[in-house]
Short mmCIF file of all heavy atoms in Angstrom, two decimals:
data_model
loop_
_atom_site.label_atom_id
_atom_site.label_comp_id
_atom_site.label_asym_id
_atom_site.label_seq_id
_atom_site.Cartn_x
_atom_site.Cartn_y
_atom_site.Cartn_z
N ALA G 16 184.77 49.36 -147.77
CA ALA G 16 185.62 48.98 -148.97
C ALA G 16 186.67 50.07 -149.20
O ALA G 16 187.84 49.81 -149.52
CB ALA G 16 184.74 48.81 -150.21
N GLU G 17 186.24 51.32 -149.10
CA GLU G 17 187.22 52.44 -149.27
C GLU G 17 188.31 52.34 -148.21
O GLU G 17 189.52 52.55 -148.46
CB GLU G 17 186.50 53.76 -149.04
CG GLU G 17 187.38 55.01 -149.22
CD GLU G 17 188.07 55.06 -150.53
OE1 GLU G 17 187.59 54.55 -151.56
OE2 GLU G 17 189.29 55.56 -150.57
N ALA G 18 187.93 51.86 -146.97
CA ALA G 18 188.93 51.75 -145.93
C ALA G 18 189.99 50.73 -146.29
O ALA G 18 191.25 50.81 -145.99
CB ALA G 18 188.23 51.34 -144.60
N TYR G 19 189.56 49.63 -146.97
CA TYR G 19 190.52 48.62 -147.39
C TYR G 19 191.48 49.15 -148.48
O TYR G 19 192.63 48.83 -148.52
CB TYR G 19 189.82 47.32 -147.85
CG TYR G 19 189.34 46.41 -146.75
CD1 TYR G 19 188.02 46.32 -146.47
CD2 TYR G 19 190.30 45.76 -146.02
CE1 TYR G 19 187.63 45.55 -145.39
CE2 TYR G 19 189.87 44.87 -144.96
CZ TYR G 19 188.58 44.80 -144.66
OH TYR G 19 188.12 43.96 -143.62
N ARG G 20 190.93 50.05 -149.39
CA ARG G 20 191.72 50.60 -150.39
C ARG G 20 192.80 51.63 -149.71
O ARG G 20 193.90 51.70 -150.13
CB ARG G 20 190.94 51.39 -151.39
CG ARG G 20 190.15 50.46 -152.33
CD ARG G 20 189.42 51.24 -153.50
NE ARG G 20 188.31 51.91 -153.02
CZ ARG G 20 187.13 51.49 -152.96
NH1 ARG G 20 186.87 50.12 -153.26
NH2 ARG G 20 186.06 52.19 -152.60
N THR G 21 192.36 52.33 -148.76
CA THR G 21 193.28 53.12 -147.93
C THR G 21 194.33 52.28 -147.21
O THR G 21 195.58 52.67 -147.26
CB THR G 21 192.57 53.85 -146.83
OG1 THR G 21 191.48 54.75 -147.48
CG2 THR G 21 193.46 54.87 -146.03
N LEU G 22 193.95 51.07 -146.73
CA LEU G 22 194.94 50.25 -146.08
C LEU G 22 195.94 49.71 -147.11
O LEU G 22 197.17 49.70 -146.79
CB LEU G 22 194.23 49.08 -145.52
CG LEU G 22 195.03 47.87 -144.94
CD1 LEU G 22 195.96 48.30 -143.85
CD2 LEU G 22 194.22 46.75 -144.49
N ARG G 23 195.48 49.41 -148.37
CA ARG G 23 196.42 49.04 -149.37
C ARG G 23 197.40 50.10 -149.70
O ARG G 23 198.68 49.89 -149.80
CB ARG G 23 195.64 48.73 -150.70
CG ARG G 23 196.47 48.34 -151.90
CD ARG G 23 195.59 48.22 -153.12
NE ARG G 23 194.98 49.44 -153.46
CZ ARG G 23 193.90 49.53 -154.31
NH1 ARG G 23 193.37 48.42 -154.80
NH2 ARG G 23 193.39 50.65 -154.68
N THR G 24 196.95 51.42 -149.79
CA THR G 24 197.81 52.50 -149.95
C THR G 24 198.89 52.63 -148.86
O THR G 24 200.06 52.91 -148.99
CB THR G 24 196.95 53.80 -150.15
OG1 THR G 24 196.13 53.59 -151.29
CG2 THR G 24 198.01 54.95 -150.40
N ASN G 25 198.38 52.53 -147.59
CA ASN G 25 199.27 52.69 -146.41
C ASN G 25 200.30 51.61 -146.41
O ASN G 25 201.46 51.90 -146.01
CB ASN G 25 198.41 52.64 -145.15
CG ASN G 25 197.59 53.88 -144.96
OD1 ASN G 25 197.71 54.86 -145.65
ND2 ASN G 25 196.54 53.78 -144.05
N LEU G 26 200.02 50.42 -146.80
CA LEU G 26 200.96 49.33 -146.85
C LEU G 26 202.04 49.60 -147.87
O LEU G 26 203.21 49.36 -147.63
CB LEU G 26 200.28 47.99 -147.10
CG LEU G 26 199.47 47.43 -145.98
CD1 LEU G 26 198.73 46.23 -146.39
CD2 LEU G 26 200.41 47.05 -144.84
N THR G 27 201.60 50.29 -148.95
CA THR G 27 202.53 50.58 -150.03
C THR G 27 203.56 51.65 -149.47
O THR G 27 204.72 51.45 -149.66
CB THR G 27 201.91 51.27 -151.18
OG1 THR G 27 200.96 50.28 -151.75
CG2 THR G 27 202.93 51.67 -152.28
N PHE G 28 203.14 52.68 -148.72
CA PHE G 28 203.97 53.64 -148.21
C PHE G 28 204.87 53.13 -146.95
O PHE G 28 205.92 53.47 -146.82
CB PHE G 28 203.19 54.85 -147.63
CG PHE G 28 202.71 55.78 -148.78
CD1 PHE G 28 201.45 55.76 -149.25
CD2 PHE G 28 203.68 56.63 -149.28
CE1 PHE G 28 201.09 56.66 -150.27
CE2 PHE G 28 203.38 57.43 -150.42
CZ PHE G 28 202.00 57.55 -150.83
N ALA G 29 204.23 52.10 -146.27
CA ALA G 29 205.01 51.52 -145.16
C ALA G 29 206.20 50.79 -145.69
O ALA G 29 207.14 50.39 -144.96
CB ALA G 29 204.08 50.65 -144.32
N GLY G 30 206.18 50.28 -147.00
CA GLY G 30 207.20 49.49 -147.56
C GLY G 30 208.06 50.24 -148.50
O GLY G 30 208.71 49.62 -149.33
N LEU G 31 208.22 51.55 -148.37
CA LEU G 31 208.99 52.36 -149.27
C LEU G 31 210.56 51.95 -149.02
O LEU G 31 211.25 51.78 -150.15
CB LEU G 31 208.92 53.86 -148.97
CG LEU G 31 207.57 54.42 -149.49
CD1 LEU G 31 207.58 55.95 -149.10
CD2 LEU G 31 207.42 54.25 -150.90
N ASP G 32 211.01 51.71 -147.83
CA ASP G 32 212.37 51.29 -147.67
C ASP G 32 212.56 49.84 -147.85
O ASP G 32 213.57 49.38 -148.38
CB ASP G 32 212.90 51.83 -146.31
CG ASP G 32 212.92 53.26 -146.14
OD1 ASP G 32 213.23 53.92 -147.26
OD2 ASP G 32 212.74 53.86 -145.06
N HIS G 33 211.60 49.12 -147.28
CA HIS G 33 211.63 47.67 -147.39
C HIS G 33 210.34 47.13 -147.90
O HIS G 33 209.33 46.99 -147.14
CB HIS G 33 211.86 47.09 -145.95
CG HIS G 33 213.12 47.54 -145.32
ND1 HIS G 33 214.31 47.10 -145.66
CD2 HIS G 33 213.27 48.45 -144.31
CE1 HIS G 33 215.25 47.75 -144.86
NE2 HIS G 33 214.64 48.51 -144.09
N PRO G 34 210.19 46.98 -149.20
CA PRO G 34 208.86 46.66 -149.92
C PRO G 34 208.23 45.41 -149.19
O PRO G 34 208.96 44.42 -148.85
CB PRO G 34 209.31 46.24 -151.30
CG PRO G 34 210.58 47.05 -151.56
CD PRO G 34 211.28 47.01 -150.23
N ILE G 35 207.01 45.43 -149.00
CA ILE G 35 206.12 44.40 -148.38
C ILE G 35 205.58 43.56 -149.49
O ILE G 35 204.64 43.96 -150.16
CB ILE G 35 205.03 44.99 -147.49
CG1 ILE G 35 205.71 45.85 -146.31
CG2 ILE G 35 204.24 43.86 -146.86
CD1 ILE G 35 204.69 46.55 -145.52
N GLU G 36 206.21 42.43 -149.67
CA GLU G 36 205.74 41.49 -150.77
C GLU G 36 205.19 40.25 -150.13
O GLU G 36 204.49 39.44 -150.80
CB GLU G 36 206.91 41.12 -151.69
CG GLU G 36 207.38 42.33 -152.45
CD GLU G 36 208.72 42.14 -153.22
OE1 GLU G 36 209.34 41.10 -152.92
OE2 GLU G 36 209.01 42.83 -154.07
N THR G 37 205.49 39.98 -148.86
CA THR G 37 204.97 38.82 -148.13
C THR G 37 204.41 39.30 -146.84
O THR G 37 205.21 39.91 -146.01
CB THR G 37 206.02 37.69 -147.94
OG1 THR G 37 207.15 38.23 -147.32
CG2 THR G 37 206.34 37.07 -149.28
N LEU G 38 203.16 39.13 -146.50
CA LEU G 38 202.62 39.71 -145.32
C LEU G 38 201.74 38.71 -144.56
O LEU G 38 200.82 38.10 -145.18
CB LEU G 38 201.81 40.98 -145.64
CG LEU G 38 201.09 41.76 -144.54
CD1 LEU G 38 202.13 42.42 -143.74
CD2 LEU G 38 200.04 42.74 -145.11
N VAL G 39 201.89 38.55 -143.20
CA VAL G 39 201.04 37.77 -142.38
C VAL G 39 199.99 38.67 -141.72
O VAL G 39 200.25 39.77 -141.29
CB VAL G 39 201.82 37.10 -141.30
CG1 VAL G 39 200.88 36.54 -140.16
CG2 VAL G 39 202.67 35.94 -141.82
N VAL G 40 198.70 38.28 -141.78
CA VAL G 40 197.57 38.97 -141.18
C VAL G 40 197.13 38.07 -140.05
O VAL G 40 196.82 36.88 -140.21
CB VAL G 40 196.37 39.21 -142.11
CG1 VAL G 40 195.24 39.90 -141.49
CG2 VAL G 40 196.88 39.95 -143.34
N THR G 41 197.15 38.65 -138.84
CA THR G 41 196.81 37.90 -137.58
C THR G 41 196.05 38.84 -136.62
O THR G 41 195.83 39.94 -136.92
CB THR G 41 198.08 37.23 -136.93
OG1 THR G 41 197.58 36.44 -135.88
CG2 THR G 41 199.00 38.34 -136.50
N SER G 42 195.73 38.37 -135.48
CA SER G 42 195.07 39.03 -134.42
C SER G 42 195.59 38.64 -133.06
O SER G 42 196.23 37.60 -132.94
CB SER G 42 193.55 38.88 -134.57
OG SER G 42 193.21 37.50 -134.34
N PRO G 43 195.27 39.42 -132.04
CA PRO G 43 195.79 39.05 -130.69
C PRO G 43 195.03 37.70 -130.21
O PRO G 43 195.65 36.88 -129.75
CB PRO G 43 195.32 40.24 -129.82
CG PRO G 43 195.38 41.43 -130.76
CD PRO G 43 194.89 40.84 -132.02
N ALA G 44 193.73 37.69 -130.42
CA ALA G 44 192.89 36.56 -129.89
C ALA G 44 191.93 36.11 -130.95
O ALA G 44 191.66 36.85 -131.98
CB ALA G 44 192.21 37.03 -128.65
N PRO G 45 191.24 35.04 -130.72
CA PRO G 45 190.27 34.56 -131.74
C PRO G 45 189.06 35.51 -131.81
O PRO G 45 188.79 36.22 -130.93
CB PRO G 45 189.81 33.18 -131.22
CG PRO G 45 190.95 32.74 -130.28
CD PRO G 45 191.44 33.99 -129.72
N GLY G 46 188.31 35.41 -132.90
CA GLY G 46 187.13 36.14 -133.11
C GLY G 46 187.19 37.57 -133.31
O GLY G 46 186.27 38.38 -133.05
N GLU G 47 188.34 38.07 -133.89
CA GLU G 47 188.55 39.54 -134.03
C GLU G 47 188.61 39.88 -135.60
O GLU G 47 188.83 41.08 -135.93
CB GLU G 47 189.90 39.98 -133.39
CG GLU G 47 189.71 39.87 -131.92
CD GLU G 47 191.00 39.99 -131.09
OE1 GLU G 47 192.06 39.69 -131.73
OE2 GLU G 47 190.97 40.35 -129.93
N GLY G 48 188.22 38.97 -136.39
CA GLY G 48 187.98 39.34 -137.83
C GLY G 48 189.16 39.33 -138.72
O GLY G 48 189.17 39.88 -139.79
N LYS G 49 190.23 38.59 -138.30
CA LYS G 49 191.46 38.62 -139.05
C LYS G 49 191.25 37.99 -140.43
O LYS G 49 191.82 38.51 -141.40
CB LYS G 49 192.60 37.89 -138.35
CG LYS G 49 192.31 36.36 -138.18
CD LYS G 49 193.48 35.57 -137.54
CE LYS G 49 193.13 34.14 -137.34
NZ LYS G 49 192.91 33.51 -138.58
N SER G 50 190.51 36.90 -140.53
CA SER G 50 190.36 36.21 -141.91
C SER G 50 189.58 37.00 -142.83
O SER G 50 189.83 37.08 -144.01
CB SER G 50 189.71 34.79 -141.63
OG SER G 50 190.56 33.98 -140.80
N ILE G 51 188.41 37.64 -142.34
CA ILE G 51 187.76 38.63 -143.18
C ILE G 51 188.55 39.66 -143.71
O ILE G 51 188.56 40.10 -144.79
CB ILE G 51 186.46 38.99 -142.44
CG1 ILE G 51 185.54 37.80 -142.18
CG2 ILE G 51 185.68 40.07 -143.26
CD1 ILE G 51 184.31 38.10 -141.30
#
């Protein structure tokens, strides 16, 4: 859970120049946990 909060923070910093307000979550192949 802490890792997901870190991810949230990292996405905020990644969007300093271009804010990330719409984001697609995907994976290379099936069964890699993208939906979770």
Side-chain angles (χ1 to χ4, degrees):
E17 179 60 33
Y19 280 108
R20 289 190 286 272
T21 300
L22 174 60
R23 178 185 64 196
T24 301
N25 290 345
L26 288 171
T27 300
F28 280 105
L31 287 180
D32 292 331
H33 304 284
I35 300 171
E36 299 173 340
T37 53
L38 181 70
V39 166
V40 180
T41 185
S42 61
E47 293 168 334
K49 66 176 180 63
S50 299
I51 295 173

